[in-house]
Amino acid sequence: MHLPHQRGPLHDLPDTPEAYDAVLADVTEQALSRLTPEGNLEHPDAGDDIGDTSLGITSLLALAWQRGRDPRLPEAVRRSLAFHLRERVYTDDNPGYPNLRTTDSGLPYARYVLEAGAHPIGDWPSTVWALLQAVNVLDAADGLLDDEQRTELTELAHGYWRRLTEATFFNPQEAGNQAIGCVVGGLMLARHLPDAQGDQVRARALALYSDEIRAHRVRDRGALLPPEHGGAYDNNYGPISLSFLAQAHRVSGEEVFAEDGEALARYIDARLTSGGFDNGGPRYSEQHSGFESVLGLRYFSARIGADLGRYRGDTLPHCPKGVGGTPTGRHAVQRDGRIDGHFAFMLVWQIQDTTRWHRVPSTAPARHQLRSGTVSVAFDSRMTPSLVEAAGTYYLPAAVRRQHGFGPVTDGFLLCRPMGEVRVRDVSADGLAAKLVTKPVVGRDHVLRHVRSLYVTDGTSLWVTVAVERLDGAPYLLSGLPYAADDGDRVRRVAEGQVAAAGGLRLTHPADPGPDHFDARAELTQEQAAFALAADPRGYGNPDEGWRHLVGSTALEADPAPGAPEGLHVFAVRYGPGGSFSPAFDSDEQGLTVRTEAFTAVLGDPAGDAAGEPVLTLSVRART
């Protein structure tokens, strides 16, 4: 079984002008064949996210005319724009819309669903999208629109802006991508207004970003991020926010957008596996965006020097293989593969931006990431692995008695939550990359212990060694939940992985039935299980909160390694290929020495150096 949403890396898409001209040529033929006598360019099967979609395709036709001067396009643009101005502009308040500050304002808006009172909650973002489609048409208006249409469209776009910023609460869904998109719309609109009016709109857009978005950023993994549907980051909408930050910087030149975009980009780089798989967020657990993310990932991949395009895009339902040979990941489509105008502005901006993909990984160490070759570990804010990748297999944190993570377990208690400062040391040596994490923890017995976790990789395998003061009972190392594996341009579900341990190793599965016990052998995805446990309906709640209700899961459990120094329990696990695994340990005044078939590492005293920082030395062992 394949995961339904995560497909191939986005940077595999060609990014040349010729490739985009081919996309526009395909869009042009589809649009001209679809255009109704009334000028409608909407997909006949579209039902929601529809109020701006005809205008979106109009903007693509305007760009295609600007680039190629196809004589068929001016009439199509004018007719389709007239349709939007005549049939898709609403000024009467939508019955049931809850986020008005002023009723009966008469200001225009776009509907998420055309029927009055049907799902009005989506009207705010739909109006943002309509504003963005409108300013893209205005950008291409020279020689294409007559003065009357141009004036009417400019007034409409200004009305959309006022609706979003005066008549309604700003950002009512607490969705960073929508809010930054609105700011982008204001910045682009300002260029089409008289100077004084344009200056006012631009100043208001910048103030909204500063006061309503930037001031409310949420900290996660050491980064301040625009909040997304009640959380710090969402692996569907977070990269879309990155695209809006890229466009905001492109059109305004304001450094704040570059600074915040680079911070978000580095965060994404740290949480992404080498293979581009990611998991988690306040709106979706596994649903990744595709074409909506390309602009931001490409723009900031170049700025921070990281291969952000390894991000696995979602090619369904947004972008399966298009009709006429259009590559995936370019624009929204319906299930028949034909274009939908939703988010068409992202394709316009992709084409206009000349930045090329940076496809080489960053070599700078990152606190919340260890990455080399095909191996990677992403760490959460507590420096516990949130995702481990080795040999093409992805491991999630396992669950035991409602506790989630990677770490020593004694008497059912998982020792991974810090009680004090977490220290990190990164070291590299002759093709090896290592990270030592020292973490003070307190067990149920209220005894403070120092857990030292060493992660070493040669780019093919990952060695994890965990040392802690000796524990009572029969402790083991909770070593992850094998969940998914690469399968070409797809990701498939798995229930096992290539793992070896110095002590005994077990793959256990929950014996209890029910949604709060996750068995990796079942066909249920993590996303489905998380929503089954969430308090709100799918698409509205936070699946991460639901997943936190998980009581138990499939888990790798590693017994203590034999031969540990007195007073210590040491656990040693290798993820990925290799022969026999028999690490050796000893302790002296220099610290704990770990010898494996690939390296020798010395972990200094848990108290650290004179500044309390962890001490680690690493050297390669000659293979025999």
Side-chain angles (χ1 to χ4, degrees):
M1 154 180 185
H2 289 104
L3 295 180
H5 300 291
Q6 299 196 40
R7 308 287 175 111
L10 288 173
H11 66 198
D12 287 351
L13 293 169
D15 56 3
T16 63
E18 294 78 15
Y20 280 119
D21 283 339
V23 173
L24 279 179
D26 179 44
V27 168
T28 295
E29 297 307 319
Q30 287 193 54
L32 291 177
S33 66
R34 177 186 299 172
L35 184 66
T36 68
E38 297 78 20
N40 189 353
L41 287 169
E42 293 161 1
H43 192 287
D45 294 338
D48 54 23
D49 265 323
I50 190 174
D52 66 295
T53 60
S54 181
L55 186 60
I57 297 182
T58 302
S59 73
L60 290 171
L61 295 182
L63 179 63
W65 179 82
Q66 195 178 51
R67 288 170 69 90
R69 291 299 194 268
D70 185 329
R72 300 173 297 171
L73 294 181
E75 175 62 19
V77 168
R78 294 165 192 151
R79 280 175 55 197
S80 60
L81 177 56
F83 168 81
H84 181 84
L85 295 171
R86 185 180 67 249
E87 302 290 343
R88 292 297 181 258
V89 177
Y90 297 86
T91 55
D92 294 334
D93 295 346
N94 201 353
Y97 185 71
N99 297 315
L100 292 175
R101 297 170 60 94
T102 302
T103 59
D104 300 321
S105 68
L107 291 169
Y109 67 95
R111 285 187 176 173
Y112 177 76
V113 176
L114 299 181
E115 180 186 353
H119 204 83
I121 195 70
D123 289 355
W124 200 87
S126 289
T127 304
V128 174
W129 312 153
L131 170 61
L132 295 170
Q133 318 282 27
V135 292
N136 279 338
V137 175
L138 288 172
D139 281 351
D142 288 345
L144 189 58
L145 301 184
D146 59 34
D147 290 344
E148 182 179 355
Q149 267 197 330
R150 186 170 188 162
T151 298
E152 189 174 358
L153 182 60
T154 303
E155 291 175 351
L156 173 64
H158 193 202
Y160 283 150
W161 170 253
R162 293 188 58 203
R163 181 82 179 199
L164 293 163
T165 59
E166 298 175 21
T168 68
F169 289 94
F170 183 77
N171 191 20
Q173 295 184 22
E174 297 183 357
N177 76 97
Q178 298 172 10
I180 304 171
C182 182
V183 167
V184 171
L187 295 171
M188 296 182 70
L189 169 66
R191 302 182 301 184
H192 296 283
L193 298 175
D195 289 346
Q197 201 173 44
D199 290 345
Q200 184 180 41
V201 169
R202 178 187 169 92
R204 175 68 170 147
L206 293 174
L208 284 169
Y209 182 75
S210 175
D211 299 340
E212 301 296 333
I213 302 172
R214 199 167 198 262
H216 297 281
R217 288 176 298 169
V218 180
R219 185 175 296 278
D220 186 41
R221 309 187 195 194
L224 285 171
L225 309 170
E228 190 58 65
H229 287 286
Y233 175 82
D234 182 286
N235 59 13
N236 179 62
Y237 292 112
I240 299 177
S241 284
L242 191 66
S243 287
F244 283 129
L245 288 168
Q247 181 66 3
H249 185 246
R250 289 183 66 239
V251 300
S252 74
E254 294 287 337
E255 278 305 301
V256 65
F257 298 118
E259 293 169 5
D260 292 354
E262 288 176 12
L264 177 55
R266 290 190 179 94
Y267 171 89
I268 293 173
D269 183 44
R271 69 175 291 146
L272 270 186
T273 58
S274 294
F277 177 83
D278 190 17
N279 182 275
R283 188 72 182 273
Y284 299 111
S285 293
E286 294 172 5
Q287 291 198 36
H288 285 208
S289 53
F291 74 96
E292 308 98 321
S293 303
V294 167
L295 174 68
L297 293 170
R298 193 174 69 194
Y299 189 81
F300 285 105
S301 74
R303 289 189 67 92
I304 71 170
D307 57 337
L308 298 179
R310 69 185 189 276
Y311 182 100
R312 286 185 177 269
D314 177 359
T315 61
L316 285 174
H318 288 305
C319 40
K321 188 69 173 178
V323 176
T326 299
T328 59
R330 302 302 196 185
H331 51 68
V333 298
Q334 289 289 330
R335 295 195 177 277
D336 62 1
R338 295 185 179 275
I339 188 169
D340 186 303
H342 183 51
F343 262 70
F345 47 84
M346 285 297 186
L347 177 56
V348 172
W349 301 340
Q350 277 185 48
I351 294 172
Q352 292 171 337
D353 179 47
T354 58
T355 308
R356 302 279 70 89
W357 284 114
H358 181 97
R359 293 184 170 92
V360 180
S362 170
T363 57
R367 177 179 174 89
H368 294 89
Q369 176 197 58
L370 176 67
R371 180 184 174 204
S372 177
T374 59
V375 173
S376 54
V377 185
F379 296 87
D380 63 18
S381 291
R382 302 180 301 191
M383 289 306 296
T384 297
S386 61
L387 197 55
V388 170
E389 172 193 21
T393 299
Y394 303 100
Y395 302 84
L396 304 179
V400 56
R401 296 189 183 180
R402 296 190 187 277
Q403 304 161 97
H404 299 204
F406 289 75
V409 176
T410 177
D411 193 27
F413 188 82
L414 174 60
L415 297 170
C416 75
R417 292 171 296 281
M419 181 64 71
E421 190 67 22
V422 180
R423 313 280 186 136
V424 178
R425 178 71 184 274
D426 284 280
V427 172
S428 60
D430 297 324
L432 296 175
K435 188 183 294 286
L436 174 61
V437 177
T438 63
K439 185 183 300 188
V441 299
V442 174
R444 294 197 191 280
D445 56 8
H446 295 268
V447 173
L448 181 69
R449 294 177 173 85
H450 295 273
V451 176
R452 289 176 289 172
S453 302
L454 173 66
Y455 306 85
V456 181
T457 179
D458 62 358
T460 300
S461 296
L462 172 71
W463 290 263
V464 178
T465 306
V466 178
V468 63
E469 290 91 340
R470 196 157 189 87
L471 301 167
D472 295 332
Y476 63 89
L477 184 71
L478 193 66
S479 302
L481 156 65
Y483 177 68
D486 292 337
D487 187 11
D489 282 344
R490 301 294 301 274
V491 179
R492 60 180 171 85
R493 280 291 313 281
V494 296
E496 59 186 5
Q498 193 174 2
V499 183
L505 181 67
R506 300 174 297 278
L507 180 63
T508 65
H509 304 285
D512 297 324
D516 53 0
H517 291 82
F518 186 80
D519 191 330
R521 297 170 299 182
E523 291 191 355
L524 197 69
T525 66
Q526 186 272 350
E527 178 182 307
Q528 292 168 330
F531 269 112
L533 295 169
D536 298 301
R538 191 190 179 289
Y540 298 94
N542 184 341
D544 279 2
E545 288 183 358
W547 187 250
R548 282 192 283 271
H549 292 299
L550 198 68
V551 173
S553 73
T554 292
L556 285 161
E557 300 175 356
D559 290 332
E566 185 177 356
L568 288 179
H569 267 125
V570 179
F571 307 87
V573 175
R574 183 187 64 208
Y575 300 82
S580 62
F581 182 52
S582 302
F585 316 94
D586 60 66
S587 182
D588 57 22
E589 66 279 0
Q590 299 300 315
L592 173 66
T593 299
V594 179
R595 294 183 177 87
T596 74
E597 72 280 12
F599 63 88
T600 297
V602 180
L603 288 60
D605 189 283
D609 60 16
E613 296 302 318
V615 176
L616 172 65
T617 60
L618 181 70
S619 60
V620 174
R621 292 193 68 185
R623 294 181 184 267
T624 59

